Amino acid sequence: MPSVTSVRMWLRALFHRDRIERDMSKEMQFHLERETELNIRRGLSLDEAQRAARVAFGGVEQMKDASRDTRGTAHIESIARDIRYAIRSLKNRPAFTLTVIATLALGIGANAAIFTLVDALLLRPLPVAHPEQLVIVSDPAQVNNNNVGSPVTDFVSFLLYRDVRAHNALFTDMYASGGSGPIDVKMGAGTDATAEQPRARFVTGNFFSVLGVPAYAGRTFTAAEDEAPGEDPVAVLTYDYWQRRFSGSFAAIGSVMRVNDVAITIVGVTSPGFRGDIVGQPLDFWLPMMMDPVIQPRMNLLNDRGWSWLMMMGRLKPGVTLEKARQEISAIEANAIREHLSGLELSQFDENLEQTPIHVVSGARGFSERRAEYGKALWVLMAAVGLVILVVCANVSSLMLARTVARSREMTVRMTLGAGRGRLIQQMLIEGTVLAIVSSVLGLLAATWGTRVLLANVSSASNPIAIDTTPDARVLAFTATMALASVLLFGLLPAFRATHVDLATSLRSQGRNLMGAARVGGGRLPFGRALVVAQIALSMWMLIGGGLLVRSMQQLLHSDLGMDRDHVVAVRVRTARSQYVGARLAQFRRDLVDRVARLPGVDAAAFADHGLFSGGACGRHVDVSGFIPQADSERQVACDNVGPNFFHAIGARLIRGRDIEARDLETGPPATVINETMAKRYFAARDPLGATVTVDSVRYTIVGVVRDFQSSDVRGKPRREMYLVFNDPTMGETGQAKLSVHVRGNPSRFVGPIRRAIEEVDRTLPIAVDPVNDLVRDTLSEDVLLVQVTTFFGIVTLVLAALGLYGVTAYSASQRTSEFGLRAALGAEPGDVTRMVLGEAVRLAIVGVVIGVPAGLAATRLIRAQLFGVGTIDLPSLSMAILVLVATAVVASYLPARRAANVGPLEALRLE
């Protein structure tokens, strides 16, 4: 281990090098002068004395080198000299330097941008104390869902949370949180302010203490907020909302905001960087769980075991493992549920539990719906940008190789003067490192901008994504590793080739033919051409993958959903907390339908509880006449409540029977229409019309069978669905009135008229009107992200491959000027020379295609899950990719071919 004195000497040698060099020169001069004086005293003349002194002293420079070696900093000083030389050398060639930096910055920036998203969404732990101790006891992806009816384990009721917390002995404590749903917020004590719709969550009073999150200003919640419903009207803001809404004013602490007309006092602000325990979902403030009965008075979320809407998280006690917690907490929760079940419900619960165990997983990264939604797509994109950096390195390696040709004389002279091969390789790698460092800095800046653009593209008002994309230590380490790997990839091989010199031959030819002899592994392809082939093969991968994703996207956007998607408009009118309750709400729906149906160009309008691609889902257990289920799961179907003419309004095709009609709202037995899948499963060859389906003790008569259609998920497989007559005026009181409107012509033209028609009924309610195709597109944000990014990088790799091919073809043509001149002298036409050069370029492209196609087809298995309506081997995509690459090769080599065709005999002679 070096001593403190040695370290001090190293530091002094590194940071005071000039002074040390001057002192060393003075000391050596002193010794020479002293020896000269002694020689003069011995009787020698001045010249003889100086010569004798130098002989006795030895070489001054050699002595200096020996002295530097004893300081132990010779290698560092050598690297420092190489860095200074590299900077001077690169400054002297700005075009080359800027080209390489721009190319590398693109590749490194692309990788940094995608990895930033991967890190922020998939890898980064919550910014809380000891996140590794946190454990989630629910499905971490079901953060916005709830269930009414039979107990489930993906999320829990408030009473179940209390049971589990009371029996828990493994956690220091555990909290619960649930979504607040849409809320209206007015600032200040007055009631005339404009309502805002921020995002909030209800949490138990120990939420912040379990997570270990302190208050930045004011205070957080305490156990006192869990004692009595409605007694603690307080809120804690996120730091971002505090900055955005209150401009970071400390006067906001203690101020009042009205949440659903309930006065709430702001008591604190959380620390910067903490945006909640849900990753990817924006959040503005938290409310105590006990305030739910006041803020949502029509709900009964705290006292109803049938309402499952909460997520649970606990912090492990010291020494308790996740596996132990998984076993015991699962048993505690299951037993707590069983205590309140009996008979058929109990047997159904046990059956479901065997199929789907209770989720008990690490909570270090928090909850996230977005993680499940975008996780696979992000890993696919990481693979795509990995291909991009390989193409970039191959392209830069070609540029470095071309530059070594220009520096061949320099290399020959330096090696002749005694420079070792290792010393030259070090110098070239340092030059590449300087380029990579500058490119990495620019790439990180570009990545910061790129991640924002990507998030803006996939995020929307109805589907916002909020993640912290500030580069952290993991992103910086990844970028540094990427830069180092790039240096090795693009710099090592050219450095070895440039320093592999036959000095005698090179001196005779004055270094002109150094690269002309360069071969790859003794093969027939020149090294530069091999790099071009590699770029084309990698581009082929990208084009095949991008083509498949584009074709898949086309299928998603234009596939047959079983309804007339091109002529349907979806309307959502928020009725929560409005005057419309019970019979008034039912009449309000009918008024909306009547008013919209009278618009010119509207064929039909109908209301529904869930509607088309507008959110919401409902599953029920049913009993079908004449059908004996073998398992409880066979009784489950998806349900929606629909009004008259619903299937006409969405353009669905009735296979048997009729639509729901107005008479079904008033008289007769409750009617229902089932879909084709349900009819086949429950009735097989029997006629379902007139049969009955019992739901929650209500017998519905089947009046029609509709062809399967997708109402929420384009990729979803047909499932058993039934559509109940919407004759219960109490349904939908807490949500929205949803209409489906069938129009003639472009649905976008009807958005304004429909909105105005609804405002004529009631202009105070929030309204959303969208063509169904727009809502479908919103559900495909993951596919949009994949297509946009892979298409962009596919174009980038194609351009880089074209530039590489252009460079190699141009260089090759310039080296064959004599040959072209001789051919012209022998009678070759310009067209013959053009075709010859183009043919050589196309042959290179074909070699790349032959290598790239099988590898690309094998790689498409990685994106199989992202494809819809196309297989991994898709002839149109493959043909288009090959055609584009060959056409690119022709375009890239056309200019060098034309220049070669214009070479005449006299020009060749002048060059010689």
Side-chain angles (χ1 to χ4, degrees), residues 254-469:
S255 64
V256 174
M257 59 182 181
R258 301 191 69 80
V259 180
N260 288 358
D261 291 331
V262 178
I264 300 291
T265 302
I266 300 170
V267 297
V269 178
T270 57
S271 303
F274 179 71
R275 297 177 173 84
D277 55 350
I278 300 176
V279 178
Q281 181 171 304
L283 185 69
D284 296 317
F285 59 86
W286 294 271
L287 295 164
M289 188 76 69
M290 289 293 109
M291 289 303 297
D292 173 74
V294 180
I295 293 176
Q296 303 186 99
R298 295 174 190 168
M299 315 285 279
N300 185 28
L301 301 183
L302 299 187
N303 300 311
D304 187 349
R305 288 187 178 275
W307 264 104
S308 300
W309 62 295
L310 298 177
M311 317 297 292
M312 295 192 295
M313 174 111 66
R315 183 176 287 275
L316 290 171
K317 289 181 177 178
V320 178
T321 64
L322 176 61
E323 185 57 34
K324 184 176 181 181
R326 181 176 291 123
Q327 295 173 358
E328 298 195 15
I329 290 295
S330 298
I332 290 173
E333 182 175 340
N335 290 334
I337 294 174
R338 289 191 184 102
E339 288 178 3
H340 300 275
L341 298 178
S342 61
L344 182 60
E345 280 192 329
L346 178 59
S347 62
Q348 290 173 359
F349 171 74
D350 285 333
E351 181 184 329
N352 293 334
L353 193 61
E354 289 181 1
Q355 298 174 0
T356 309
I358 295 173
H359 296 271
V360 181
V361 298
S362 170
R365 296 178 299 142
F367 304 96
S368 182
E369 186 179 48
R370 306 285 182 247
R371 191 176 294 142
E373 189 176 352
Y374 291 96
K376 291 181 180 177
L378 285 176
W379 287 121
V380 171
L381 290 179
M382 272 310 306
V385 292
L387 289 179
V388 172
I389 194 63
L390 289 177
V391 174
V392 163
C393 288
N395 195 278
V396 173
S397 189
S398 296
L399 293 173
M400 299 285 283
L401 186 62
R403 186 166 181 245
T404 58
V405 174
R407 299 173 65 183
S408 58
R409 180 190 293 272
E410 172 195 339
M411 294 295 167
T412 303
V413 171
R414 293 180 65 175
M415 295 184 74
T416 304
L417 293 178
R421 190 182 181 192
R423 181 72 179 77
L424 294 179
I425 290 175
Q426 172 187 301
Q427 192 268 316
M428 294 186 70
L429 289 180
I430 286 177
E431 189 173 294
T433 303
V434 171
L435 289 168
I437 290 174
V438 176
S439 303
S440 298
V441 173
L442 295 176
L444 272 177
L445 295 175
T448 304
W449 171 80
T451 51
R452 292 174 183 168
V453 172
L454 288 173
L455 284 177
N457 279 345
V458 299
S459 188
S460 63
S462 60
N463 188 31
I465 300 175
I467 53 176
D468 181 9
T469 56

Side-chain angles (χ1 to χ4, degrees), residues 448-506:
T448 304
W449 171 80
T451 51
R452 292 174 183 168
V453 172
L454 288 173
L455 284 177
N457 279 345
V458 299
S459 188
S460 63
S462 60
N463 188 31
I465 300 175
I467 53 176
D468 181 9
T469 56
T470 306
D472 60 3
R474 193 181 289 106
V475 172
L476 296 178
F478 173 83
T479 305
T481 304
M482 184 62 61
L484 177 61
S486 299
V487 170
L488 297 177
L489 283 172
F490 74 74
L492 203 55
L493 289 178
F496 274 108
R497 293 305 311 167
T499 55
H500 184 64
V501 176
D502 182 348
L503 287 179
T505 303
S506 299

Side-chain angles (χ1 to χ4, degrees), residues 213-251:
V213 175
Y216 177 78
R219 68 172 179 87
T220 58
F221 297 150
T222 65
E225 268 86 29
D226 273 347
E227 292 180 355
E231 295 297 322
D232 296 284
V234 294
V236 174
L237 309 184
T238 64
Y239 181 86
D240 292 343
Y241 186 62
W242 179 54
Q243 291 289 327
R244 188 172 66 251
R245 184 61 183 80
F246 299 95
S247 303
S249 171
F250 286 93

